[in-house]
Amino acid sequence: MELNYRFRDPALAQLALTHRSVGKPNNERLEFLGDALLGAIVAEMLYEAHPKASEGELSRLRAQLVNGQALAVVARELALGDGLKLGPGELKSGGFRRDSILADAFEAMVAAVYLDGGFDACREVVRGLFDERIAALRRSSKDAKTRLQEWLQAAGLPLPQYELVASHGEDHAKTFDVSCTISEPMTFTAQAHGGNRRAAEQDAAELVLHRLLEQPRAS
C-alpha cells in the first residue's frame, strides 16, 4: 500500500517519522494534530456509511478503527517503520516494530499531509486508506462477545467472566442485570441490563470492548 501523496516539502514527512527519542524537533506535535484530523475524517466516513447508527454505535465503530493496534497495522502496510528515525535505545530495542511508535508515526504523517497540502488533500489520503476498512466493518456480523473474546485472545489475555447480578419482574417479563469482567490488561467490570441474559451479556461485552479500545497508548 502507498500513501498516495507527494510532498511539496519533504522535510514535513521526515519530521513525521522522527521519534522523540531522537530529541527535538520530533513528531509529537504532529501526532497531536494528526490524531484530531484522523478522528474527524473517520467520523465523517462512518456518519455517511451508517445513516441509522446512534451516536454510541458510531463512537464504538470509530474506536475499532482509530486505536493503537489498528493504526499500527496501517503504518505497517505503508512501511512507515522502514523510515523511522529513532534514538539509539529505541533502535536497539526494536522500536520500529512497536505498535505505539508506528501508530504515532502514522498520525503524524496524516498531520504532515494536512500541513503540506491542506485539508482536502489530507481527507483524500485518509479516505483512501480507510474506505475498505469501513466497508469491512459493515460486512462484519460478529457480535460483541465474539469480538471481545477475539481481541483478548489476540493479545494473549484471559477471557472475560460473565455473571448474572440480578433478575427482576415476573417470569413472563423478566429483565436481567449482567456483569462482564476482565482482569487484564486492566481490571474493569461493565454492567448491562436486558430483556434476556444473552442480550445483557452482549451489551456488557460491548461496553468492555469500547473501554479497551479507548485506552491510551504507551509510547
Side-chain angles (χ1 to χ4, degrees), residues 36-196:
L37 289 164
L38 189 59
I41 296 168
V42 170
E44 177 190 47
M45 296 175 72
L46 290 169
Y47 184 86
E48 294 170 354
H50 298 270
K52 296 182 179 180
S54 69
E55 182 271 341
E57 290 169 331
L58 291 172
S59 293
R60 286 191 287 273
L61 290 172
R62 182 173 59 181
Q64 291 182 52
L65 294 165
V66 185
N67 66 76
Q69 287 183 323
L71 297 185
V73 170
V74 182
R76 289 188 180 95
E77 290 175 356
L78 295 171
L80 295 187
D82 295 345
L84 279 173
K85 293 182 180 179
L86 302 169
E90 287 291 354
L91 195 60
K92 186 176 181 180
S93 65
F96 59 91
R97 292 190 297 267
R98 191 172 304 147
D99 279 1
S100 59
I101 290 177
L102 288 168
D104 286 350
F106 173 67
E107 289 178 334
M109 190 64 72
V110 168
V113 172
Y114 166 74
L115 293 174
D116 189 72
F119 183 75
D120 287 344
C122 178
R123 185 170 176 266
E124 183 177 349
V125 166
V126 172
R127 290 181 77 96
L129 293 171
F130 282 84
D131 270 339
E132 180 54 33
R133 287 173 164 81
I134 287 175
L137 278 183
R138 295 184 69 181
R139 293 193 296 267
S140 175
S141 60
K142 292 178 181 177
D143 60 33
K145 289 180 66 174
T146 301
R147 287 186 283 116
L148 175 58
Q149 178 174 315
E150 290 181 349
W151 193 98
L152 292 168
Q153 286 177 327
L157 300 175
L159 296 180
Q161 299 296 315
Y162 297 92
E163 182 180 351
L164 177 62
V165 176
S167 58
H168 314 273
E170 303 294 331
D171 287 344
H172 66 282
K174 228 179 229 318
T175 57
F176 300 85
D177 295 333
V178 170
S179 67
C180 175
T181 301
I182 57 171
S183 56
E184 296 182 56
M186 59 184 172
T187 300
F188 178 67
T189 298
Q191 188 167 313
H193 181 78
N196 60 64

